[in-house]
Amino acid sequence: MKKVTVAVALRESILDPQGVAVKGGLSQLGFAGVEEVRIGKRIELLVSDETTDVMIHEMCQKLLVNTVMEDYRFDVEEVTTV
């Protein structure tokens, strides 16, 4: 079995209004050193050993990621079941 972790974030060219709001909040709380905040999402999948990287890319492209606005990367690790 494999655990796939997909990290999704808005492309650099896309304004991140949630990140802007968080940056403003941090500033108001006295954290003046924060230059930029980008908010993303993390998706975890548990898949069979037969699942290939190509299949994971297809999952991301077809459903998990809005490829017009978002970039993604994923990590795969082997897991053992008890």
Side-chain angles (χ1 to χ4, degrees):
M1 191 142 299
K2 300 177 188 178
K3 177 181 174 184
V4 178
T5 304
V6 182
V8 183
L10 287 172
R11 291 185 178 197
E12 287 294 322
S13 61
I14 304 292
L15 176 66
D16 185 350
Q18 188 177 10
V20 171
V22 169
K23 180 180 181 276
L26 290 170
S27 178
Q28 289 179 349
L29 291 171
F31 298 102
V34 179
E35 297 294 325
E36 183 179 21
V37 177
R38 304 288 290 179
I39 304 293
K41 59 186 171 185
R42 174 183 159 140
I43 302 166
E44 292 183 4
L45 308 167
L46 202 55
V47 299
S48 69
D49 288 330
E50 292 77 33
T51 304
T52 65
D53 284 1
V54 171
M55 294 166 72
I56 297 166
H57 275 291
E58 287 180 13
M59 290 178 206
C60 291
Q61 297 276 327
K62 292 182 178 181
L63 179 66
L64 302 176
V65 179
N66 177 348
T67 58
V68 173
M69 298 176 53
E70 298 172 323
D71 290 321
Y72 70 93
R73 64 177 174 75
F74 64 88
D75 297 309
V76 180
E77 64 181 271
E78 296 291 327
V79 294
T80 56
T81 56
V82 180

